[in-house]
Amino acid sequence: MTDHGAHFAGLSGVLLAVLALLVYLHLARRARRRNPVAGWSRWRTAGFATGVVLSAAALLPPVASFAHADFRGHMVQHMLIGMYAPLALVLGAPVTLLLRTLPVGGARRLSAVVHSRPGRLLTHPATALLLSTGSLVVLYFTPLYDAVTARPAGHWLLHAHFLLSGCLFAHVIAGPDPAPARPGVRARLVYLGCAIAVHAVVAQLMYGGFWVDVHAPVPEVQGGAEIMYYGGDIAELLLAAALVSTWRPERRSRPVAGRAVRA
């Protein structure tokens, strides 16, 4: 991939991220106007904005230039786009914001999609785990990585996959948006533990040079493995913290919900 192509792809991605943030801010303002009492949480807005900033940082120099020249840079980019930015974006609750601001017909159609059979299948933790964490095995232990990164379109697809699959997994584990197929907290902790284990095994195999199929100097591959190992641990701890923070309100809200039904 040429430097010009990488720069153009990164700039295009940043423009899309900024556009998404502007749309989000517009919808948040509309939500506050429609219901001043409920309003819209500034913490959620800050979370979504943080996700956009992290995505933009990964697509612009110096991170993008580092990723183009060094496998360690690719792994930094992977961590930002695939783990840190998705968690922040998901905590912004964009689906809930859409449901609050769309017209009644549009909100009903969106809710129907969320509760549909394909929507339930997509948001099942097993599906999210396979797409986000399981895909790392295919990417780094087959010729897929070198084939994908050899073309600008491949970089685009790889970034999109990291971002979307990361958002899906973060949403299933700890997202505030509605997820009909989301199991209980204990089951989600098990899936999160599986993701942590797979990340650790992939990083250790990569560091040891076992079965890894990445055409890069050994020090770069080992450095990338270390970034995946330690950077992934931090991201997964943040995801676990988000899960725990959503657990307590759910437990407190049950008696309130019961009193409301009885009333």
Side-chain angles (χ1 to χ4, degrees), residues 22 54 58 77 90 94 123 143 149 162 166-167 169-171 176 179 182 191 194 198 205 212 225 232 240 244 250 253:
L22 292 176
L54 291 174
Q77 202 175 48
V90 164
T123 57
T149 55
F162 282 155
C167 286
F169 188 71
H171 162 70
R182 181 183 289 146
Y191 281 104
C194 291
V198 172
L205 290 175
V212 64
V244 171
E250 288 176 358
S253 65

Side-chain angles (χ1 to χ4, degrees), residues 51-103:
V52 170
V53 170
L54 291 174
S55 301
L59 296 173
L60 290 175
V63 176
S65 303
F66 184 32
H68 175 62
D70 194 307
F71 182 73
R72 290 167 292 192
H74 158 79
M75 197 57 69
V76 171
Q77 202 175 48
H78 171 199
M79 291 290 105
L80 289 174
I81 296 177
M83 300 191 76
Y84 290 95
L87 176 57
L89 292 171
V90 164
L91 292 179
V95 176
T96 301
L97 181 59
L98 280 173
L99 290 172
R100 286 194 185 184
T101 54
L102 283 174

Side-chain angles (χ1 to χ4, degrees), residues 108-238:
R108 287 178 177 174
R109 286 190 291 270
L110 178 58
S111 180
V113 171
V114 171
H115 289 80
S116 66
R117 182 173 296 179
R120 288 174 177 270
L121 177 63
L122 182 63
T123 57
H124 192 278
T127 305
L129 180 65
L130 181 64
L131 291 176
S132 62
T133 308
S135 62
L136 300 180
V137 178
V138 180
L139 180 63
Y140 296 122
F141 296 102
T142 72
L144 181 62
Y145 172 78
D146 292 301
V148 167
T149 55
R151 303 175 182 273
H155 273 268
W156 264 102
L157 290 175
L158 190 60
H159 292 160
H161 170 76
F162 282 155
L163 181 64
L164 295 177
S165 63
C167 286
L168 179 63
F169 188 71
H171 162 70
V172 169
I173 297 299
D177 282 325
R182 181 183 289 146
V185 172
R186 292 179 179 84
R188 282 182 275 163
L189 284 173
V190 171
Y191 281 104
L192 180 57
C194 291
I196 294 172
V198 172
H199 262 116
V201 171
V202 169
Q204 290 171 355
L205 290 175
M206 185 181 295
Y207 187 87
F210 298 105
W211 306 306
V212 64
D213 196 348
V214 175
H215 294 169
V218 172
E220 291 185 14
V221 175
Q222 290 181 338
E226 290 178 336
I227 293 171
M228 174 187 282
Y229 189 86
Y230 295 108
D233 279 351
I234 295 173
E236 283 150 351
L237 284 174
L238 292 174

Side-chain angles (χ1 to χ4, degrees), residues 18-37:
V18 172
L19 178 61
L21 178 58
L22 292 176
V23 172
Y24 184 97
L25 294 175
H26 171 71
L27 293 178
R29 185 178 181 183
R30 180 185 295 181
R32 295 190 189 98
R33 286 183 174 180
R34 280 191 173 185
N35 192 339
V37 176

